[in-house]
Amino acid sequence: MKIHEYQAKHLFKKYGIPVPKGDVAATPADAVHVAESIGGFPVVIKAQIHAGGRGKAGGVKLAQSLDEVRSIAEAIIGMNLVTHQTGPKGRNVKQVLVEQGQKIEKELYVSLIPDRETACIALIASQSGGMDIEEAASRDPEKIIKVYINPLHGIHPFQCRQAAYGLQLPSSLIGPFSQMLKNLYQLFVDDDCSLVEINPLIITSDQRLIALDAKINFDDNALFRHKDLTALRDLDEEDPLEVEASKYHLNYINMDGTVGNMVNGAGLAMAVMDTIKLAGAEPANFLDVGGGATAEMVENGFKVILSDPKVKGILINIFGGILRCDVLAKGVVEAARKINVHVPVIVRMEGTNVEEGRRILAESGLQLYTAVSMKDAGEKVASIIG
Ligand code: GDP
Ligand code: MN
């Protein structure tokens, strides 16, 4: 789960990580109020969307007066902001963060992320933070500092110093930087984060460290024990079909192609998407109904796929193990009876109770195509939808 910058900064504040003075605003009048309470210029106005790259796309602006605050907020609130992270559709901006402007001497990069290879939490840092971090990382990968924190030990002072020396921080900042890292690590662990990123972490002209930007992602699988964090979810920032699918506990990701597919097991789903691409078509989604899916889950998955206007055909590929083929077939037939199936459906299934499953499908009166192998299924769906 992602949250907005202003929400991440509230959490930073709670953990003693310095952030600029400011607050979120949903209208230009609110933005002016916040600017008044900051008392001084410049102030920064920042579009709040769940994507980075706002600076380069015109979503971060400096204002030198209350009039400018109002006019910039008017321009940003309600705009459709397209950044390199939003995709071409962009995002509608509903709120802005209004903050005290900072005098920047240097922009650094700091993040924490789980590293599966070492089973550690990786602390990643760079001297070339800011808006060009991606280019800097690909140009000089050796300049990226990586420190691996064993979660059983927690973060050690020597690891903080290691990062501080790597960043060539002035000696006066090594203490505050180490404290900040300790706090950041505590936040990461307490809230079951999958990413905490500060880009840029700035050194101000009067030699203070401030988190100028803040990005936090949470591990969805741990959200059940963080009711307070779940309340920060902004459904408007998520794909409506994914929100719908999440209500049914379906593993669904919306994609750009035209072939909807429903599969049991994530590995099989990946293989089916490859098969669709090999046949010259593009998958419209990833959907793993899970090994132990019920007829109801199959029905809900089918409904979600059918409500996607991009979908021109559906490929169902089930290996009947715990989810038996007859259960799957009942789910498909139930769903098809309740909703108008306006696209061809190709079914390939194997495994437990496959004959019974085939019989249910054959006697349903539905217009279904059957396939004998994965390859056959991919080719059939590609040729039927053209
Ligand atoms: P992002 O582009 O979505 O990652 O948004 P950021 O919050 O990182 O802001 C983008 C850039 O705006 C930063 O890298 C800074 O260069 C600039 N910026 C943001 N806040 C300030 C500020 O208070 N003062 C100055 N001078 N620049 C700022
Ligand atoms: Mn940033």
Side-chain angles (χ1 to χ4, degrees):
M1 185 184 97
K2 295 181 181 177
I3 57 172
H4 288 292
E5 175 192 9
Y6 79 91
Q7 297 168 318
K9 281 179 168 165
H10 281 163
L11 287 172
F12 278 10
K13 223 172 168 176
K14 183 174 147 199
Y15 277 83
I17 297 154
V19 295
K21 195 173 160 188
D23 210 345
V24 70
T27 64
D30 281 349
V32 170
H33 277 141
V34 178
E36 276 171 343
S37 74
I38 291 169
F41 292 97
V43 299
V44 187
I45 314 214
K46 310 181 77 179
Q48 296 298 287
I49 55 170
H50 284 189
R54 297 163 302 167
K56 285 193 169 167
V60 177
K61 291 260 170 28
L62 286 171
Q64 302 292 349
S65 66
L66 290 180
D67 281 344
E68 253 184 34
V69 170
R70 184 184 299 278
S71 61
I72 292 172
E74 274 168 1
I76 293 184
I77 297 171
M79 87 187 279
N80 189 53
L81 188 59
V82 180
T83 81
H84 67 91
Q85 289 187 10
T86 59
K89 269 192 276 174
R91 293 279 170 78
N92 184 259
V93 181
K94 292 178 301 175
Q95 291 168 298
V96 289
L97 176 59
V98 181
E99 282 186 338
Q100 185 169 46
Q102 305 297 320
K103 290 211 180 74
I104 303 174
E105 188 178 287
K106 195 166 180 185
E107 297 193 322
L108 310 168
Y109 174 95
V110 171
S111 68
L112 291 171
I113 191 164
D115 180 68
R116 287 180 172 75
E117 214 163 296
T118 56
C120 285
I121 294 166
L123 160 62
I124 298 173
S126 165
Q127 282 198 63
S128 33
M131 295 192 278
D132 294 315
I133 182 70
E134 282 94 353
E135 291 93 283
S138 63
R139 197 176 51 238
D140 300 311
E142 72 285 350
K143 286 198 183 145
I144 304 285
I145 301 150
K146 290 184 183 160
V147 179
Y148 296 97
I149 303 157
N150 185 325
L152 298 178
H153 302 167
I155 190 165
H156 290 292
F158 80 87
Q159 293 175 312
C160 299
R161 286 195 297 275
Q162 207 177 323
Y165 296 150
L167 290 172
Q168 297 181 303
L169 291 184
S171 55
S172 66
L173 286 180
I174 294 177
F177 178 73
S178 299
Q179 187 58 51
M180 195 201 75
L181 283 186
K182 260 181 70 179
N183 297 349
L184 202 63
Y185 180 83
Q186 198 58 49
L187 189 170
F188 187 95
V189 173
D190 286 353
D191 289 345
D192 292 307
C193 298
S194 56
L195 172 75
V196 173
E197 183 184 77
I198 309 179
N199 184 35
L201 170 68
I202 60 161
I203 303 177
T204 60
S205 55
D206 57 354
Q207 300 297 297
R208 288 174 301 130
L209 284 170
I210 296 182
L212 207 60
D213 194 2
K215 179 172 178 177
I216 299 181
N217 297 349
F218 301 106
D219 179 350
D220 292 346
N221 294 311
L223 279 175
F224 72 94
R225 56 184 185 190
H226 299 289
K227 294 281 176 281
D228 50 331
L229 297 177
T230 317
L232 303 178
R233 189 169 174 195
D234 182 352
L235 293 179
D236 288 347
E237 288 284 328
E238 298 180 26
D239 183 288
L241 285 176
E242 290 179 16
V243 172
E244 184 66 15
S246 72
K247 288 184 200 156
Y248 308 124
H249 307 288
L250 292 166
N251 247 322
Y252 172 91
I253 295 165
N254 195 2
M255 292 168 33
D256 295 329
T258 55
V259 180
N261 63 91
M262 180 158 71
V263 188
N264 62 333
L268 191 57
M270 300 297 276
V272 167
M273 294 198 299
D274 282 349
T275 309
I276 291 168
K277 283 183 89 88
L278 277 174
E282 292 289 330
N285 66 275
F286 167 96
L287 172 56
D288 166 21
V289 288
T294 58
E296 197 189 355
M297 282 179 85
V298 170
E299 183 183 328
N300 288 328
F302 204 52
K303 264 194 227 161
V304 170
I305 296 177
L306 276 168
S307 58
D308 180 351
K310 299 188 308 288
V311 168
K312 298 210 160 55
I314 298 177
L315 170 51
I316 300 177
N317 186 13
I318 300 289
F319 183 76
I322 302 170
L323 167 61
R324 303 183 329 246
C325 294
D326 56 319
V327 172
L328 165 86
K330 273 186 203 137
V332 171
V333 172
E334 276 303 303
R337 289 232 167 88
K338 286 183 198 159
I339 25 182
N340 170 30
V341 185
H342 50 280
V343 294
V345 179
I346 291 93
V347 185
R348 185 241 169 184
M349 56 185 180
E350 283 301 340
T352 310
N353 291 5
V354 67
E355 289 81 13
E356 176 66 4
R358 290 204 177 116
R359 190 188 61 75
I360 292 169
L361 291 180
E363 290 172 6
S364 68
L366 295 169
Q367 176 77 53
L368 297 169
Y369 300 84
T370 51
V372 291
S373 68
M374 295 251 306
K375 186 160 178 280
D376 183 36
E379 284 167 359
K380 271 205 175 113
V381 73
S383 79
I384 290 170
I385 69 167

